[in-house]
Amino acid sequence: MTVIPTDLKAGGKAEREPGKARALLGYLVHDKLALISAIYLLILILAAIFGPMLVGDMATKLGLRQRNLAPFSLEHGWLYALGADTLGRSILARLVVGAQNTLGIAAAAVVTSMLIGGALGLIAGYSNRWYSQVIMRLADIIMSFPSLLLALIVLYTLGPSILNLIIVLAITRIPIYLRTTRAEVLELRERMFVSAAKAMGAGSLRIVLRHIAPLVAPTLITIAAIDFASVILAESALSFLGLGIQPPQFTWGAMVATGRGYLANAWWVAFWPGLAILLTTLSLNLLSSWARTVADPQQRWRLQTLRRAPR
Amino acid sequence: MFGYLGKRALHSVVSVLGLLVLVFFLTRLTGDPSYLFLPLDATPQAREAFSTLHGFDQPLHIQFFNYLGDLLHLDFGESLRQNRSAMEVALEAFPQTLKLAVLAIFLAGALALVVGSLAAAKPGSLFDRFASLVSLAGASAPDFWIAIVGILVFAVSLDLLPTSGTGSAAHWIMPIGVLMLRPFGLLVQVVRGTMIGALSSPYVKTARAKGVRRQKIIFSHALRNSLLPVITVAGDLATSLVNGAVVVESVFGWPGIGKLMIDAIIQRDFAVVQSTVLVTACAIFILNIAIDLLYAVLDPRIRYQTS
Amino acid sequence: MRNNGAFSTIALAALLASTALPALAQGGGKAITIVLPEQPSNLEPCGSILTDVGQVLSQNITEPLTVINPKDGTPQPKLATKWERVNDTTWRFHLRDGVKFQDGKEFNAEAVAFTLKRMTGGAFTCNNLAKFGSAKLTVTPVDRLTVDIKTEKPEPILPALLSVAMMVSPATPTDKAVNDPVGTGPYKLNTFTPQTVVLDRFDGYWGKTPEIGKATYVWRGESSLRAAMVQTGEAQLTPAIAIQDATNPETDFSYLNSETTAIRIDTEQPPLNDVRVRKALNLAIDWQGMAELFGADVLRASQMVVPGINGHNPDLKPWGYDPDQAAKLLAEAKADGVPVGTAIKLIGRNGIYPNGNEALEAMMTMWEAVGFDIDLQMLDVADWTRYLQKPFPQERGPNLLQIMHDNNKGDAAFTVPIFYQSSGQYATFSDPKVDTLIGEALNATDTARTKAFQEILAEVHDRIAVDIPMFHMIGYTRVGKELDWRPNLTTNSEIPLAEIRLRK
């Protein structure tokens, strides 16, 4: 369940106004935590894109005689600086390769659920026909359908694969976007410009796509940014319970799952991937909290005045 | 008001029925339970006998109508694994989860109100920044990871708390602590945000100009106004806890409904899966309606209409 | 108000806990807690061959007529004192006198007939019956303490088979499975709740009075948690911990657990129908490196039955690690037109044994190193079972299946026909010579039987290389310092409380 304060709507709009980029950067530099988060996420994204080309082989290279190699030693090369996992593979290399899966799955799931949820929300909000009701009841059902059961059903009927995991995660997140979109649309469709467009003879599809959808989009994008962190956690929990990603594929969550049995004698196997998840979701949350401050006129002064104030 | 309630209840019933149909058919896509309930080397005849005994050999739609017929008599089927009524098994486990979830939400909410208000009182202060970081870290932490590290530190290394299970008050500390993290983190953010808004609103400024003490303003004026969003969010979080304390329950060996559900799912104990889904879904719908009512009580501006 | 409610819950919980843990049981004797890896599904005596049920039930609440000696696989007296073969299809059992069920009823020939009738009645699922295969039993009480058991076909190992027939009180319902078993064992069931099973010592037991007065069973899924519970004194014994948790030589004991791990080769699918390819699969694995995953004490396996089981062939030499030879065999096969480049599915099962996922990942990497194209798929139990048993899925393609086989029932007959007879449940190959040999072995007795099974095992390993035996596995237990108890080959199926002594 992600929380969406109502003042978020302004966020997207502020960013879209021209000439604001520099001001935004200024705000960012001012908030040290947000700045560090942004830098961390940037490095992470670069590592996820280019890392596997550099250390991909090392992530699967076995070392059965150096299982659970302790961290903080450069004896076996810098790749083993964070230690080796239960099969003696470089944890650092696996973190980098795992980042690609972890972030990729979360991003794909968020985008998919945003598009589907948004589209269904537009329909449910704009139309008063029977299918609006069906869509809303469907959202209710998804909300109370256990995601673990869904994961098992998909795993069993469609087989273990990254694509199927994305499907599971996307389905579970759809209601959030659906409900938000519908709520927005319910309000927007009563506005003047919609009536005006109707009066000028515009079709429903045109009104929804040209006039309403663009106004809903910024809200959805803001929610997606926050939801990204939740999806990473959800994916990790699924993989931890054995219903998520399956070997030989892996994500950070799966790495924690492998290492959990070794916490007492090789803590690093589960610690590093757990820390990577924590830092990533924390950075995302810090950044979106910063974005909320920037977007909120009542709070923005904090960043502005402090920046302009003479020391 | 009652019209509204009736409509909500009707929607809920429709959704629960839809859910039951979906769960019934989808779980049956996940394979033959005889593979899991009989030993691996059971003969094909034994498997056939098992299927006949439990009616799995009948066409799916017949099985479904039988299920519906039994539902009308409040017969929710027999657990294949435990040799007793599936609903009895589910209802035995549910209170364990409910207690955990309710306690975690209330503690998280109370703590978040205090921390969030204090942070909002002096935005940008050291305390505010520290509180923000800690609460966001709480909201970001993977709970399964925190849980196993917690056992290692508090139960094994320091020997302060029992590792797991139920029994004494000490058994509750770690599960609740882990379960509280995320709600606490999110609620602090909400409380802080709405309090800052409330504190800069005209009526608070007026009160301050009149010379009302700062603490009194915070706790009696602003806090009351930030309760509504807190309740919305807390309600959503409670829903997810009732439905999803699976990780905490499986790590700490807590005999709740989340653990029961995942075991039943993995073991293909269909009747138990159906019963647990039914119980949690009903709980969630009741919770949602309760939140709406609470809203109406707290905020006289809100009136529900039937339209 | 609401918080008050919550806190009173805590107070109530604390109150309950203060009364829940007396150091001594009511009937005297020490109370212990045992932490199991999973919740017993139920306590039906007819399901005692399942680990979760058997570890609580067998030899504690219920007892069979015979028990298997783990050292040589021979049946030993328990509720039967002796037995003899009357003719080819009939065995006569003489029962122990003076044995009472926990509900006061007498154990006699009628009770044996009742139990076997209940097992074979078909009104509910009796898992233990699986061990009998298709054997049909006719039970005739001769006098109060003598009973004749007749089978349709000659059954040379009936006394061993009866070690899975748990004797139950004639008051037990015959039409449904029960959760409140009544047997003749040294302990009787006190309570069975979603949190615990509690057993109390049974004062009317026919044998020696055990030292443990009361046993409480709890269950936790995490191995590290179970180990920690014994370490902190929350429990006194856990029958299964992972190798990495077995770090304290004073409390942690390893035992050969009668389980054998292997990879089954689907020999009907090219390129796996070529013997060179199968040998290459065996030779490409760094077996010593693999042993690191399972502990220093595992035995490299050459066959699916462990030493100590009748029919085990001690002369078989397991395949060694020779990647060059493996690559050479592959090249030869390729030269003869065998499609060795075909992608081969390696199908694993989540949680099949500790470090099972890691083992498959490692083997995949090693096979790819010698030139195989391996596609690893980890499946859920039900999904995996479709590949294990006939009828196999259509279009299954060339596949390797991760398996583990448990035989602690004393005889290779519980293993060989399922895997190697062309009609066997798990068999993915058929060989007329092997079929004939198995037919002969099943009807043979004594040394001839042993020899016959040994020949079959040599045949499938050396000539056909039909599968990839991995290791005879080791289990680890953690036993609190106050208890004197050691695990053995049977620990996977039973933990007899009567054998647990206190350290003085």
Side-chain angles (χ1 to χ4, degrees):
Chain A
M1 300 295 115
T2 311
V3 193
I4 306 104
T6 43
D7 57 7
L8 277 181
K9 268 181 280 179
K13 286 175 206 159
E15 278 158 40
R16 275 152 25 98
E17 282 171 37
K20 288 276 179 172
R22 182 172 300 192
L24 273 178
L25 202 63
Y27 299 151
L28 187 59
V29 171
H30 192 82
D31 189 336
K32 291 286 178 292
L33 277 177
L35 182 66
I36 296 171
S37 307
I39 295 173
Y40 170 82
L41 288 176
L42 199 66
I43 295 175
L44 197 63
I45 291 168
L46 289 178
I49 296 172
F50 302 108
M53 293 175 219
L54 301 173
V55 295
D57 291 343
M58 290 307 291
T60 52
K61 184 170 171 274
L62 292 181
L64 286 176
R65 282 162 190 84
Q66 51 173 33
R67 297 181 63 223
N68 304 330
L69 195 68
F72 310 124
S73 148
L74 293 176
E75 211 176 297
H76 294 80
W78 61 273
L79 272 172
Y80 292 93
L82 296 184
D85 75 354
T86 51
L87 286 177
R89 301 172 294 203
S90 155
I91 290 184
L92 185 59
R94 287 181 78 74
L95 280 177
V96 169
V97 176
Q100 193 172 43
N101 276 340
T102 310
L103 300 182
I105 289 172
V110 166
V111 170
T112 314
S113 54
M114 183 172 76
L115 291 179
I116 298 177
L120 289 176
L122 284 175
I123 300 172
Y126 192 78
S127 162
N128 279 329
R129 304 282 288 278
W130 58 270
Y131 44 78
S132 304
Q133 282 298 320
V134 172
I135 290 174
M136 290 316 289
R137 296 292 78 76
L138 213 58
D140 282 350
I141 291 176
I142 295 178
M143 297 264 291
S144 44
F145 198 91
S147 56
L148 294 167
L149 180 56
L150 185 69
L152 184 81
I153 291 165
V154 170
L155 204 60
Y156 189 87
T157 51
L158 303 178
S161 80
I162 288 188
L163 181 70
N164 296 336
L165 182 56
I166 293 172
I167 294 177
V168 171
L169 291 168
I171 292 179
T172 55
R173 312 309 289 190
I174 283 177
I176 297 168
Y177 299 94
L178 199 162
R179 290 169 165 226
T180 317
T181 311
R182 177 173 169 272
E184 292 257 303
V185 175
L186 282 180
E187 187 217 345
L188 286 172
R189 73 172 185 193
E190 306 303 328
R191 296 254 191 105
M192 272 307 265
F193 66 95
V194 175
S195 317
K198 255 187 213 156
M200 283 158 69
S204 293
L205 191 67
R206 190 181 159 84
I207 292 174
V208 168
L209 288 183
R210 291 292 298 274
H211 298 279
I212 295 183
L215 289 175
V216 180
T219 315
L220 289 191
I221 291 170
T222 323
I223 301 173
I226 306 173
D227 203 31
F228 193 75
S230 313
V231 173
I232 291 181
L233 289 178
E235 181 272 317
S236 316
L238 270 188
S239 296
F240 175 81
L241 292 169
L243 294 173
I245 199 153
Q246 304 294 334
Q249 302 285 357
F250 61 96
T251 57
W252 292 339
M255 288 173 75
V256 176
T258 317
R260 68 170 154 171
Y262 293 84
L263 268 179
N265 23 54
W267 54 267
W268 50 91
V269 181
F271 180 80
W272 297 120
L275 189 68
I277 298 173
L278 175 63
L279 287 180
T280 308
T281 47
L282 181 59
S283 301
L284 284 165
N285 281 330
L286 281 170
L287 261 189
S288 47
S289 151
W290 165 83
R292 273 200 298 273
T293 314
V294 171
D296 183 355
Q298 284 189 338
Q299 290 196 57
R300 195 188 307 150
W301 60 268
R302 249 178 270 291
L303 297 166
Q304 280 170 330
T305 43
L306 285 169
R307 184 170 64 92
R308 286 176 192 152
R311 303 243 162 212
Chain B
M1 190 76 200
F2 288 106
Y4 168 80
L5 268 187
K7 195 177 165 192
R8 277 299 297 260
L10 186 70
H11 282 173
S12 303
V13 169
V14 170
S15 299
V16 169
L17 282 180
L19 188 67
L20 283 181
V21 174
L22 213 60
V23 168
F24 182 91
F25 286 103
L26 288 181
T27 49
R28 272 153 185 80
L29 289 179
T30 61
D32 181 351
S34 80
Y35 285 147
L36 289 126
F37 286 94
L38 299 185
L40 286 178
D41 46 3
T43 57
Q45 291 88 331
R47 279 181 206 293
E48 228 165 85
F50 176 87
S51 290
T52 317
L53 195 63
H54 297 283
F56 295 133
D57 57 337
Q58 306 209 12
L60 212 50
H61 64 276
I62 303 281
Q63 287 187 44
F64 181 66
F65 286 126
N66 288 343
Y67 172 62
L68 283 188
D70 289 345
L71 273 189
L72 291 179
H73 299 102
L74 293 183
D75 174 1
F76 298 92
E78 182 115 327
S79 163
L80 293 177
R81 196 163 174 262
Q82 301 195 18
N83 302 337
R84 59 201 183 110
S85 153
M87 189 47 89
E88 183 187 320
V89 177
L91 287 178
E92 209 168 66
F94 184 64
Q96 297 287 346
T97 300
L98 194 66
K99 277 189 258 177
L100 211 57
V102 166
L103 209 53
I105 280 291
F106 276 101
L107 286 178
L111 210 58
L113 275 179
V114 175
V115 174
S117 319
L118 290 177
K122 274 192 197 162
S125 67
L126 197 63
F127 179 82
D128 177 30
R129 281 196 245 166
F130 182 71
S132 285
L133 189 65
V134 168
S135 60
L136 279 179
S140 316
D143 48 4
F144 52 90
W145 186 70
I146 299 286
I148 42 186
V149 173
I151 292 177
L152 201 68
V153 173
F154 295 108
V156 181
S157 301
L158 301 177
D159 203 7
L160 289 175
L161 296 171
T163 54
S164 58
T166 54
S168 71
H171 283 99
W172 290 72
I173 296 177
M174 272 203 284
I176 289 199
V178 174
L179 220 47
M180 266 176 64
L181 273 180
R182 199 172 148 69
F184 170 72
L186 292 172
L187 286 173
V188 167
Q189 296 295 307
V190 177
V191 172
R192 180 181 172 274
T194 51
M195 285 287 278
I196 287 179
L199 284 174
S200 53
S201 66
Y203 71 87
V204 168
K205 284 186 179 141
T206 318
R208 199 178 278 180
K210 282 191 197 156
V212 181
R213 280 212 351 264
R214 193 181 160 72
Q215 277 171 340
K216 190 161 183 220
I217 293 173
I218 292 179
F219 285 103
S220 68
H221 294 261
L223 200 55
R224 191 189 296 161
N225 284 286
S226 56
L227 264 182
L228 281 184
V230 171
I231 286 171
T232 319
V233 177
D236 269 0
L237 289 167
T239 312
S240 67
L241 284 191
V242 168
N243 211 358
V246 183
V247 167
V248 165
E249 286 176 7
S250 27
V251 174
F252 290 107
W254 196 270
I257 204 156
K259 174 96 173 68
L260 178 69
M261 193 188 292
I262 186 170
D263 285 348
I265 288 171
I266 289 173
Q267 309 241 337
R268 311 297 193 279
D269 201 343
F270 296 152
V272 176
V273 175
Q274 283 152 199
S275 301
T276 51
V277 170
L278 182 64
V279 168
T280 50
C282 288
I284 288 169
F285 287 122
I286 292 172
L287 196 67
N288 282 339
I289 294 177
I291 291 166
D292 284 352
L293 287 179
L294 201 59
Y295 242 86
V297 171
L298 285 176
D299 190 343
R301 282 171 302 178
I302 297 178
R303 287 281 174 266
Y304 293 108
Q305 280 144 20
T306 28
S307 68
Chain C
M1 301 140 300
R2 262 193 176 74
N3 279 340
N4 273 346
F7 284 118
S8 62
T9 316
I10 290 191
L12 188 69
L15 194 71
L16 286 175
S18 60
T19 56
L21 295 166
L24 290 176
Q26 284 161 345
K30 164 118 173 122
I32 61 167
T33 300
I34 295 177
V35 50
L36 304 170
E38 58 178 329
Q39 176 177 15
S41 337
N42 53 61
L43 289 180
E44 167 53 51
C46 220
S48 67
I49 60 165
L50 304 172
T51 299
D52 57 332
V53 182
Q55 284 188 329
V56 175
L57 207 65
S58 297
Q59 318 303 341
N60 293 331
I61 300 177
T62 57
E63 297 171 316
L65 294 181
T66 62
V67 290
I68 302 293
N69 178 353
K71 293 204 177 63
D72 58 9
T74 55
Q76 305 289 321
K78 189 82 183 191
L79 290 180
T81 49
K82 59 184 195 315
W83 47 86
E84 67 264 344
R85 206 167 178 178
V86 181
N87 57 44
D88 262 6
T89 56
T90 311
W91 285 83
R92 174 164 293 176
F93 290 83
H94 302 275
L95 307 179
R96 194 175 291 279
D97 196 4
V99 176
K100 286 251 181 309
F101 285 103
Q102 289 138 11
D103 59 3
K105 294 214 161 31
E106 189 197 46
F107 169 74
N108 52 28
E110 292 295 337
V112 176
F114 172 83
T115 297
L116 291 175
K117 206 171 149 202
R118 181 173 183 269
M119 281 179 76
T120 52
F124 62 96
T125 305
C126 179
N127 285 322
N128 289 10
L129 218 50
K131 291 287 170 202
F132 288 83
S134 52
K136 290 262 180 302
L137 308 177
T138 317
V139 189
T140 326
V142 177
D143 59 40
R144 193 175 68 91
L145 293 174
T146 314
V147 64
D148 276 355
I149 303 180
K150 197 167 154 39
T151 51
E152 277 177 334
K153 282 179 288 181
E155 194 52 86
I157 55 164
L158 188 68
L161 281 174
L162 285 176
S163 65
V164 301
M166 293 293 162
M167 294 299 137
V168 294
S169 158
T172 313
T174 52
D175 57 340
K176 59 174 201 228
V178 295
N179 280 326
D180 51 350
V182 176
T184 59
Y187 291 86
K188 58 180 195 289
L189 181 69
N190 179 332
T191 51
F192 178 22
T193 70
Q195 284 99 321
T196 55
V197 175
V198 181
L199 304 190
D200 287 335
R201 196 159 58 191
F202 168 47
D203 293 329
Y205 184 55
W206 57 270
K208 196 165 160 281
T209 305
E211 289 186 22
I212 303 300
K214 175 178 180 163
T216 304
Y217 295 83
V218 295
W219 36 87
R220 300 288 182 269
E222 297 282 324
S223 157
S224 53
L225 193 51
R226 293 193 297 274
M229 286 176 74
V230 177
Q231 189 190 329
T232 59
E234 281 176 49
Q236 281 70 45
L237 192 158
T238 178
I241 55 174
I243 166 183
Q244 61 266 20
D245 293 315
T247 49
N248 182 352
E250 276 182 56
T251 54
D252 305 342
F253 305 106
S254 68
Y255 66 102
L256 199 62
N257 64 8
S258 81
E259 275 164 357
T260 306
T261 52
I263 304 289
R264 189 193 67 185
I265 304 174
D266 193 338
T267 65
E268 287 161 4
Q269 308 277 329
L272 301 174
N273 56 356
D274 190 282
V275 66
R276 286 165 298 189
V277 174
R278 296 200 296 268
K279 285 184 179 166
L281 284 167
N282 272 292
L283 290 167
I285 303 295
D286 174 4
W287 293 108
Q288 275 187 345
M290 289 290 292
E292 298 274 324
L293 282 174
F294 305 118
D297 304 330
V298 289
L299 291 181
R300 173 79 175 99
S302 59
Q303 52 202 304
M304 294 306 291
V305 286
V306 294
I309 297 291
N310 184 30
H312 174 87
N313 188 338
D315 301 327
L316 284 187
K317 243 175 69 91
W319 299 100
Y321 175 43
D322 192 345
D324 298 334
Q325 177 67 16
K328 208 176 120 214
L329 283 169
L330 267 192
E332 278 174 28
K334 193 174 183 184
D336 289 350
V338 178
V340 295
T342 318
I344 298 170
K345 261 195 277 186
L346 173 58
I347 300 165
R349 188 187 113 189
N350 278 315
I352 186 168
Y353 44 80
N355 292 336
N357 289 8
E358 281 99 329
L360 283 203
E361 282 192 69
M363 291 173 92
M364 176 183 86
T365 313
M366 292 171 194
W367 280 325
E368 289 189 331
V370 298
F372 283 104
D373 180 2
I374 303 288
D375 171 21
L376 172 58
Q377 291 190 355
M378 295 304 299
L379 300 181
D380 152 86
V381 192
D383 213 357
W384 169 88
T385 316
R386 295 190 306 135
Y387 287 91
L388 175 71
Q389 294 179 332
K390 286 176 182 165
F392 301 121
Q394 299 283 314
E395 312 291 326
R396 61 194 193 272
N399 65 83
L400 303 168
L401 189 75
Q402 179 182 34
I403 54 176
M404 177 162 75
H405 178 68
D406 181 359
N407 183 348
N408 61 3
K409 291 283 168 263
D411 197 274
F414 294 104
T415 302
V416 168
I418 331 173
F419 280 99
Y420 304 129
Q421 202 166 27
S422 49
S423 59
Q425 275 285 98
Y426 305 166
T428 50
F429 89 119
S430 66
D431 185 286
K433 185 180 168 200
V434 174
D435 276 356
T436 319
L437 286 174
I438 292 176
E440 286 165 15
L442 285 178
N443 286 319
T445 49
D446 306 326
T447 348
R449 190 178 177 92
T450 314
K451 281 262 164 354
F453 277 122
Q454 287 177 342
E455 191 190 343
I456 299 164
L457 290 169
E459 189 75 6
V460 294
H461 182 263
D462 294 347
R463 179 170 70 90
I464 312 176
V466 69
D467 47 17
I468 308 166
M470 293 167 62
F471 297 100
H472 298 309
M473 299 295 272
I474 293 290
Y476 293 88
T477 59
R478 179 167 280 190
V479 185
K481 291 201 181 87
E482 59 271 50
L483 300 186
D484 183 11
W485 181 78
R486 292 289 176 278
N488 64 32
L489 197 63
T490 63
T491 299
N492 256 12
S493 43
E494 59 191 43
I495 308 170
L497 292 169
E499 287 174 13
I500 301 177
R501 304 256 176 282
L502 297 171
R503 251 175 228 286
K504 300 280 151 41

